[in-house]
Amino acid sequence: RAVREVDEPFGGIQVILCGDFFQLPPVNRNDSKQGSFITNSNAWVEGDFTVCYLTEQYRQKEDSDYTDILNGIRAGVLTRRQLAALQARAGAVTDPWSAVTRLLTTNIDVDTINLGRLAELEGDGVQYEMVTSGSKQYVEQLMRSCLAPEALELKIGAHVMCIKNSLEKKYVNGSLGIVEGFEKHTNFPIVRLTNEKLITVKPDTWELVDGDKKRASATQIPLRLAWAITVHKSQGMTLDAARVDLSKAFVEGMGYVALSRVRGMEHLALDGLNGMALRVSPLAKQIDAE
């Protein structure tokens, strides 16, 4: 509005928003202002958006029974037969020749699996230490919102995930791959992405900016180990196969997000469910009805 000198919403620019309220709700931290769905924002109300529904199912289009189960979770109504079909995937074996990503709900469980798998690989690891600048308070604040680990160890054969968009558009946040080697002289990791592209991943920098002042910065190789990832980080991904553990699900929508990452029931192995796992947000259902 200020730049275009037009007092219409978004300065008169046409804006298209895409989202799904039945997936994970906004992340709230105890020490910060509590967020809610976008429908509670002034921008949504003033924008007077026209709501359109995308009804074509692409990811699970080859498995209509699985689509019905996912739709049942969204509606909050699963038949006994559907629940039994899900529970029958406990300990199931997916295609033994495809890479199977484990989805878990907590960072500590993910880290335990990743470090264990890394230790099983032969050869020496290459270490990358994060370099930070700024006062301790601001560095700690930046670290809470930054996915980069302070210390990263990689080996040839390690499964990794990119955790930042490449400025050269070589990869995006969430791209998966396997370390195939290390660049001479620099030791930067060479990664074969799942789309077969071979890239060298160089250090990148995260910054905490307050107005025009840079309060803190952190520089690290923008990769994480990815034999296992959290359900939160899996949003938007399509996985060839997944082992999902929802025994510690702690928020509505978590089970729906995790289960909908695969293309069909045959690509899913289920390690656990709890009472929260298949719940969806009552507020999401209310928004959907309205």
Side-chain angles (χ1 to χ4, degrees), residues 180-212:
E180 288 202 352
F182 299 93
E183 191 177 68
K184 281 184 180 179
H185 308 303
T186 67
N187 254 357
F188 296 155
I190 299 168
V191 176
R192 175 81 62 183
L193 298 178
T194 50
N195 63 7
E196 291 301 320
K197 188 187 292 183
L198 194 66
I199 61 169
T200 299
V201 183
K202 300 175 182 178
D204 208 333
T205 300
W206 290 258
E207 293 182 343
L208 180 66
V209 179
D210 182 4
D212 56 358

Side-chain angles (χ1 to χ4, degrees), residues 22-25 27 59 66 70 73 101-111 113-114 147 161 173-174 176 224-239 242-262 268-274 276-279:
F22 286 92
Q23 297 196 31
L24 290 163
V27 175
R59 186 178 291 136
Y66 196 50
L70 295 175
I73 295 172
T101 301
R102 295 190 64 180
L103 294 186
L104 299 104
T105 54
T106 62
N107 282 309
I108 190 166
D109 289 341
V110 164
D111 291 343
I113 290 169
N114 283 329
L147 286 168
M161 176 194 291
N173 187 4
L176 295 167
R224 279 181 80 106
L225 298 174
W227 282 282
I229 56 178
T230 61
V231 175
H232 273 88
K233 193 60 202 166
S234 76
Q235 279 194 118
M237 289 181 179
T238 298
L239 299 174
R243 274 183 64 192
V244 177
D245 187 351
L246 294 167
S247 59
K248 298 179 183 177
F250 57 87
V251 71
E252 294 146 344
M254 193 164 254
Y256 176 74
V257 168
L259 296 174
S260 59
R261 294 310 94 204
V262 296
L268 170 72
L270 195 57
D271 287 344
L273 280 175
N274 69 3
M276 174 62 79
L278 300 182
R279 290 186 198 168

Side-chain angles (χ1 to χ4, degrees), residues 59-133:
R59 186 178 291 136
Q60 290 89 21
K61 65 180 179 181
E62 303 296 328
D63 190 339
S64 58
D65 289 341
Y66 196 50
T67 298
D68 290 343
I69 288 173
L70 295 175
N71 287 337
I73 295 172
R74 289 174 75 100
V77 182
L78 276 184
T79 66
R80 285 187 181 180
R81 183 181 62 81
Q82 289 174 324
L83 190 56
L86 264 186
Q87 291 171 329
R89 301 307 295 174
V93 177
T94 58
D95 179 0
W97 303 110
S98 67
V100 179
T101 301
R102 295 190 64 180
L103 294 186
L104 299 104
T105 54
T106 62
N107 282 309
I108 190 166
D109 289 341
V110 164
D111 291 343
T112 300
I113 290 169
N114 283 329
L115 294 175
R117 292 295 299 271
L118 184 71
E120 292 172 5
L121 294 177
E122 295 181 2
D124 295 330
V126 177
Q127 311 280 342
Y128 305 93
E129 296 292 332
M130 177 180 283
V131 177
T132 61
S133 68

